[in-house]
């Protein structure tokens, strides 16, 4: 029974935040914090008590928790939630970043606090739903619910940008990109369901049943592409990345943290859970294209990041580059690379969240995000540059951080099947160093623009950054904490890849 | 022996403490920073005793399982054997002395600054030592890579330590990026090894290599070549050498520890550690020697035309590492490691002494603005004489003579005549540029007033390193017998003596030429440099053969151009055409809805005509 509560708590908490909006600024914040903490604690409890390592190996995925009640029986739609290692990792991450998102908007958001937290909570709730739902209709429902509050978050509390990049425009761009691609996914879902209906005469949206429905040929390819494009927009995969830098630059800090930390990961999760297992044959055929797109993403993102002057846009573009590695991992079909992708997703959530929080803190102090107006901040803002250094180093994949483990497991894993892709991707590591160090260089090095000391980090800020830093190092030195949980799920995904080739 | 982890734990704890409590008093920071190194050095001494007591049997300490995914298993394992013990001794021993000296140097250096900078310095230094120790102790390639990148990071931070200077920051940037290029090669090497061996455990790889890799096969060569790429980047050898001279922007103790004694020798360590792979790849092995020779010549020539005291030393470091590579190339591994150790002694001495000179001369680094310092700062003079003599390998009394001449002899005896000749010529140049520096700095007319540094933290490290740079240091024999194979040579004893005497003569002649050119009025040199041809040559050498300009044109400028073209996200702009088109259509259509009767009538008539025409003609 714990699964529906994981989804419901944020939704209920969000409503409570909204209702208490008129009772002071503090109350909604505490309610939001409490509900996020509850989600985190529940997921940690699931982690501590469950066994995700050695569940039975079979054809069908082995869930460690399931919840199912009927919804729209006529079309075989159920509220079917299930948990395995992969979704648990993602939910723990969501809970943690939810707490951080509340924490970093503590002083940033002062207008309509209750409604803000309603949106924030509902994003989290929907994301948890996405990670748990294994009914395709329910999955689509949560997938769409995710973006409405995000739209409001950007449109109402966002930063106004320069050169006509208003927050409204960014929000609309985000909405149209995701909405249009969501439509493609809906069509694909219906396609799969009808294919199943024609084969068996039964309407069902149940993942586990549909897994056993072979859809061959061109139709399968088209349906697979529908899923892929929907996820590719969210990941994002170049050339469908256009919404991301705008959305990030214009979103409030909490929005950026959620976007980079978990919303992008729903896409990777979707590929791992749906796109690949539902269409193993077509995915294997499509793999070279996907990996090429991953490579383009790595390089294009790196070059874009290097040429930005807005600090948040730089971090946003670096996410494009990092997600290129994840895409390569997913389509390499090697369990090692897939495990690396999981670690990279977790670590990237930490490092990107850290960088966005720091950008927010810089903005609060300097009232600019333009790096040309910064410089020489090393000695001026207490411990902030030290934290920034660690997160920047994590983003360029220095060993000792989880990002290194993630990237290198991906490269090691994929090397056996696609050595040249890996060699080219490795070149991206140099470019990652270039744009990361340029960030360091422009913001913290050089002659200070003024000699006055800026306000140092407050306890809340230090606590958040410190926690992120510890977690980054923890995933770097003890990645097994994550790897053990996701091992079973990733082995299964890798098997989906190997099955079609063994059948031939 | 099970105290092995402590040797890395102390510097790590020091770094963590210094990072967490940035506002601690300067004295406490010095005690933590230097004390942690002292404890690490003591642990190393204890480990050394235990190692010899246990008949030099290698010891592996398993700390925890790092990564385990299917067959991909990595432990956080340390391995102590003769090679890592030697490196351990150099890192903690010389490292401790440099830390002690730094506690004095940084206090002088930061006189008008706040204490916070002081803690930051020792935090980075301790973190560096931790990473370096992990590099040499790591029992698998990934763990070694962790240390490998870690030292690069600390090197970056310490080069850019004076963060306000734009040039320092770019020097740090450059160092990181260029070594990162090498690191990517090393990473690809690791991927290749993983695919072929199914393990990253170094010992297993060394044992299985002869059965797994075909000698001289393309794949074998490529694997070794990738490792060499990593080594070349870290050790500042051609073609990835350009960062080292700029790295001198960091505080002088940093140059002593990182850019002379320890980090830059990591490449030598890597090749020695994985020597079996290189022996199976004869072409690459030969290349190692050639790279060493070319680098030592290029660096030697460049050192001749430098005016900054630290840059002279930087190029001499490059050239000495070139000797080590040359030794590796002729399979004289223990000679390479021996020279690594001796070089750490005398180069640390020279750098620390130059730090002492720089402080004494109020941060002047141009040797031609010094002059006549011998009487004013006699201790530094003595250090330079001893260290310089060791660098030039003057016979019998210096440590450098024993280590470098072994390399010269072994390269001759193993039949690599070209390498030997190059090395011999390099030895001649070494003594010329070394004594050029000493004569210019300490002799002649006094140009400025220096104040002699004081304090035990200043004197003690210099004196200890001075002793180690004489033949006393050469008495230390690294216990490499079980780790590295010895080179078999069948040349006679008489030949050996002849070769060594020749090398000694070359070194002494070099000193003589330096004295002739740079003692007294230096008329010949002045007129040479002032002539048109001479000036051109001088500028060419001063810029170290123009590699910087070349790389700037080949890589930096094009990348900047590409980046400038991507200020606008082209793909995004292309997709933005769709909303643009929609908007355009919107304008067009709404313009037609203008409420003017005649427009509507005209459209109506036109439409009707077209329909009728279509009906009639169709």
């Amino acid at each position: 029974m714990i699964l529906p509560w994981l989804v419901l708590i944020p939704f209920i908490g969000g409503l409570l935040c909204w209702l208490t909006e008129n009772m002071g600024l503090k109350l909604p914040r505490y309610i939001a914090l409490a509900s996020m903490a509850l989600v985190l604690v529940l997921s940690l409890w699931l982690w501590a008590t469950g066994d995700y390592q050695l569940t039975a190996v079979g054809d069908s995925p082995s869930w460690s928790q399931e919840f199912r009640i009927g919804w729209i029986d006529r079309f075989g739609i159920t509220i079917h939630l299930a948990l395995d290692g992969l979704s648990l990792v993602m939910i723990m991450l969501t809970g943690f970043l939810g707490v951080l998102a509340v924490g970093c908007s503590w002083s940033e958001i002062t207008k309509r606090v209750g409604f803000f937290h309603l949106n924030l909570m509902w994003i989290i709730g929907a994301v948890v739903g996405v990670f748990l739902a294994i009914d395709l209709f329910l999955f689509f429902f949560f997938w769409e619910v995710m973006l409405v509050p995000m739209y409001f978050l950007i449109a109402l509390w966002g930063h106004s940008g320069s050169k006509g990049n208003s927050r409204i425009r960014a929000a609309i761009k985000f909405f149209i990109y995701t909405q249009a691609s969501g439509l493609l996914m809906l069509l694909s879902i219906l396609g799969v369901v009808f294919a199943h209906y024609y084969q068996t005469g039964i309407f069902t949206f149940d993942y586990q049943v549909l897994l056993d429905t072979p859809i061959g040929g061109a139709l399968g390819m088209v349906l697979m592409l529908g899923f892929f494009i929907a996820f590719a927009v969210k990941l994002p995969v170049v050339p469908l990345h256009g919404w991301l830098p705008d959305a990030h630059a214009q979103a409030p800090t909490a929005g950026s943290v959620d976007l980079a930390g978990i919303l992008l990961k729903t896409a990777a999760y979707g590929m791992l859970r749906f796109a690949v297992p539902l269409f193993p044959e077509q995915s294997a055929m499509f793999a070279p294209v996907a990996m090429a797109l991953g490579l383009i993403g790595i390089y294009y993102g790196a070059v874009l990041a290097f040429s930005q002057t807005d600090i948040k846009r730089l971090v946003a573009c670096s996410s494009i580059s990092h997600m290129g590695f994840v895409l390569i991992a997913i389509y390499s079909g090697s369990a090692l690379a897939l495990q690396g992708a999981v670690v990279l997703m977790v670590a990237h959530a930490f490092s990107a969240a850290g960088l966005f929080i720091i950008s927010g803190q810089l903005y609060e102090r300097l009232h600019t995000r333009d790096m040309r107006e910064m410089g020489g901040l090393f000695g001026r803002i207490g411990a902030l540059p030290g934290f920034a250094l660690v997160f920047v180093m994590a983003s360029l994949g220095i060993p000792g951080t989880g990002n290194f483990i993630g990237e290198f497991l991906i490269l090691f894993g994929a090397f056996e099947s696609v050595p040249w892709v890996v060699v080219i991707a490795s070149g991206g590591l140099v470019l990652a160093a270039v744009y990361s160090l340029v960030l360091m260089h422009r913001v913290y090095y050089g002659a200070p623009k003024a000699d006055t000391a800026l306000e140092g980090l407050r306890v809340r800020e230090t606590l958040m950054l410190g926690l992120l830093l510890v977690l980054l190092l923890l995933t770097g030195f003890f990645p097994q904490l994550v790897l053990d949980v996701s091992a079973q799920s990733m082995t299964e995904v890798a098997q989906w890849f190997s099955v079609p080739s063994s059948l031939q | 022996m099970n105290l092995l982890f402590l040797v890395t734990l102390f510097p790590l704890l020091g770094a963590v403490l210094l990072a967490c409590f940035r506002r601690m008093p300067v004295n406490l920071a010095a005690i933590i920073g230097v004390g942690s190194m002292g404890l690490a050095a003591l642990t190393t001494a204890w480990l050394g005793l235990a190692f010899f007591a246990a008949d030099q049997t290698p010891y592996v300490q398993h700390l925890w399982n790092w990564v385990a995914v299917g067959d991909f298993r990595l432990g956080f394992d340390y391995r102590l054997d003769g090679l890592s013990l030697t490196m351990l001794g150099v890192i903690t021993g010389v490292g401790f002395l440099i830390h002690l000296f730094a506690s004095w140097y940084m206090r002088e250096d930061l006189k008008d600054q706040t204490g916070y900078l002081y803690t930051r310095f020792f935090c980075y230094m301790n973190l560096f030592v931790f990473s370096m120790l992990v590099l040499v102790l790591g029992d698998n390639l990934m763990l070694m890579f962790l240390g490998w990148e870690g030292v690069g990071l600390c090197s970056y931070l310490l080069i850019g330590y004076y963060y306000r200077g734009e040039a320092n920051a770019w020097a740090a940037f450059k160092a990181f990026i260029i070594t990162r290029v090498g690191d990517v090669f090393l990473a690809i090497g690791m991927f290749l090894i993983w695919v072929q061996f199914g393990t990253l455990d170094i010992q297993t790889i060394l044992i299985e290599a002869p059965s797994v890799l075909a000698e001289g096969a393309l794949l074998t060569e490529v694997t070794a070549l990738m490792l060499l790429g990593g080594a070349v980047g870290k050790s500042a050898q051609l073609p990835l050498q350009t960062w080292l001279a700029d790295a001198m922007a960091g505080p002088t103790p940093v140059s002593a520890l990182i850019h002379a004694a320890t980090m830059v020798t990591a490449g030598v360590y890597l090749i020695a550690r994985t020597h079996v792979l290189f022996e199976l790849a004869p072409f690459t092995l030969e290349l190692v020697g050639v790279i060493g020779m070319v680098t030592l010549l290029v660096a030697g020539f460049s050192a001749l035309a430098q005016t900054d005291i630290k840059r002279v030393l930087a190029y001499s470091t490059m050239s000495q590492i070139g000797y080590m590579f040359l030794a590796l190339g002729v399979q004289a591994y223990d000679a390479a490691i021996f020279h690594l150790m001796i070089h750490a002694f005398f180069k640390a001495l020279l750098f620390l002494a130059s730090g002492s000179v720089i402080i004494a001369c109020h941060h002047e680094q141009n040797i031609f603005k010094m002059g006549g310092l011998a009487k004013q700062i006699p201790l530094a003079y003595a250090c330079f004489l001893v260290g310089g003599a060791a660098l030039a390998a003057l016979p019998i009394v210096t440590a450098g003579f024993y280590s470098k001449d072994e390399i010269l002899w072994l390269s001759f005896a193993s039949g690599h005549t070209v390498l030997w000749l190059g090395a011999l010529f390099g030895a001649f140049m070494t003594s010329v540029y070394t004594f050029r520096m000493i004569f210019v700095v300490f002799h002649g007319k006094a140009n400025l007033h220096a104040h002699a540094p004081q304090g035990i933290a200043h004197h003690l490290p210099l004196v200890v390193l001075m002793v180690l740079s004489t033949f006393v240091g050469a008495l230390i024999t690294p216990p490499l017998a079980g780790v590295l194979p010895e080179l078999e040579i069948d040349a006679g004893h008489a030949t050996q003596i002849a070769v060594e005497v020749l090398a000694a003569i070359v070194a002494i002649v070099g000193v003589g030429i330096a004295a002739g050119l740079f003692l007294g009025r230096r008329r010949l040199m002045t007129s040479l440099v002032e002539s048109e041809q001479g000036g051109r040559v001088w500028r060419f050498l001063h810029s170290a053969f123009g590699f910087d300009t070349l790389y700037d044109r080949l890589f930096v400028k094009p990348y900047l151009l590409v980046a400038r073209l991507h200020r606008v996200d082209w793909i995004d702009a292309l997709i933005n055409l769709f909303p643009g088109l929609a908007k355009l259509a919107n304008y067009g259509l709404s313009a037609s809805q203008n409420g003017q009767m005649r427009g509507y009538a005209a459209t109506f008539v036109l439409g009707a005509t077209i329909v009728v025409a279509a009906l009639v003609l169709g």
Side-chain angles (χ1 to χ4, degrees), chain A residues 2-352:
Chain A
I2 210 168
L3 298 186
W5 282 110
L6 279 173
V7 184
L8 283 177
I9 288 168
F11 280 107
I12 296 171
L15 278 176
L16 283 178
C17 291
W18 191 38
L19 291 174
T20 55
E21 185 167 51
N22 296 328
M23 298 159 77
L25 291 174
K26 287 271 165 66
L27 194 58
R29 287 178 188 155
Y30 279 112
I31 292 174
L33 192 63
S35 39
M36 286 297 87
L38 202 57
V39 172
L40 179 62
V41 169
L42 279 181
S43 59
L44 286 176
W45 186 74
L46 280 175
W47 176 55
T49 54
D51 176 19
Y52 302 93
Q53 287 195 42
L54 291 168
T55 30
V57 179
D59 289 342
S60 60
S62 35
W63 313 110
S64 59
Q65 294 249 359
E66 257 189 281
F67 172 85
R68 178 178 210 160
I69 52 170
W71 187 13
I72 309 172
D73 294 334
R74 218 177 133 183
F75 299 115
I77 296 170
T78 55
I79 295 181
H80 191 180
L81 305 174
L83 184 84
D84 70 347
L86 175 65
S87 36
L88 180 67
V89 170
M90 289 299 147
I91 287 171
M92 285 195 284
L93 191 65
T94 311
F96 176 69
L97 288 184
V99 173
L100 275 190
V102 175
C104 67
S105 30
W106 205 263
S107 67
E108 188 184 320
I109 304 298
T110 48
K111 277 182 288 183
R112 314 199 58 188
V113 178
F115 190 47
F116 174 82
H117 284 102
L118 170 81
N119 286 312
L120 198 58
M121 295 293 99
W122 281 32
I123 296 177
I124 303 287
V127 169
V128 173
V130 162
F131 288 142
L132 285 178
I134 54 163
D135 182 280
L136 288 184
F137 191 81
L138 189 67
F139 174 78
F140 178 73
F141 169 75
F142 283 125
W143 184 264
E144 292 291 296
V145 168
M146 245 177 1
L147 47 130
V148 179
M150 193 70 211
Y151 170 79
F152 283 121
L153 220 54
I154 299 172
L156 297 180
W157 290 273
H159 304 282
S160 45
S162 54
K163 288 189 295 181
N165 285 330
S166 73
R167 55 181 197 242
I168 306 284
R169 187 171 177 275
I172 291 175
K173 200 169 174 183
F174 166 75
F175 195 83
I176 291 180
Y177 261 93
T178 35
Q179 187 71 11
S181 61
L183 180 66
L184 287 180
M185 181 159 74
L186 180 64
L187 291 176
S188 286
I189 289 177
L190 293 179
V192 173
V193 169
F194 274 100
H196 181 77
Y197 177 72
Y198 287 129
Q199 283 179 22
T200 61
I202 302 168
F203 267 124
T204 180
F205 282 76
D206 198 279
Y207 172 66
Q208 222 151 327
V209 180
L210 295 174
L211 271 186
D212 303 328
T213 311
I215 304 171
L219 175 69
M221 198 54 157
V222 170
L223 295 179
M224 194 277 295
L225 280 178
F227 277 98
F228 178 80
I229 291 173
F231 297 135
V233 167
K234 229 2 173 290
L235 191 60
V237 174
V238 174
L240 301 171
H241 64 281
W243 61 274
L244 181 104
D246 288 333
H248 268 300
Q250 256 64 51
T253 308
S256 302
V257 169
D258 279 354
L259 258 182
I262 44 182
L263 256 67
L264 304 190
K265 274 69 182 183
T266 58
Y269 172 85
M271 291 185 186
L272 290 170
R273 176 74 80 217
F274 297 104
V276 171
L278 285 175
F279 309 98
E281 229 171 287
Q282 289 83 355
S283 296
M285 271 165 65
F286 186 63
V289 181
M291 282 193 266
L293 288 174
L295 281 182
I296 293 172
I298 290 174
Y299 279 87
Y300 196 74
V303 174
L304 272 191
F306 178 76
S307 20
Q308 300 303 317
T309 52
D310 182 321
I311 184 167
K312 280 180 90 177
R313 287 183 82 93
L314 193 158
V315 182
C317 293
S318 80
S319 296
I320 301 177
S321 187
H322 286 129
M323 289 305 117
F325 282 98
V326 173
L327 189 63
I328 291 177
I330 293 173
Y331 283 91
S332 73
S334 132
L336 183 57
L338 287 166
Q339 283 282 55
V342 173
V343 178
L344 182 59
M345 283 196 276
V346 172
H348 172 262
F350 295 149
S351 65

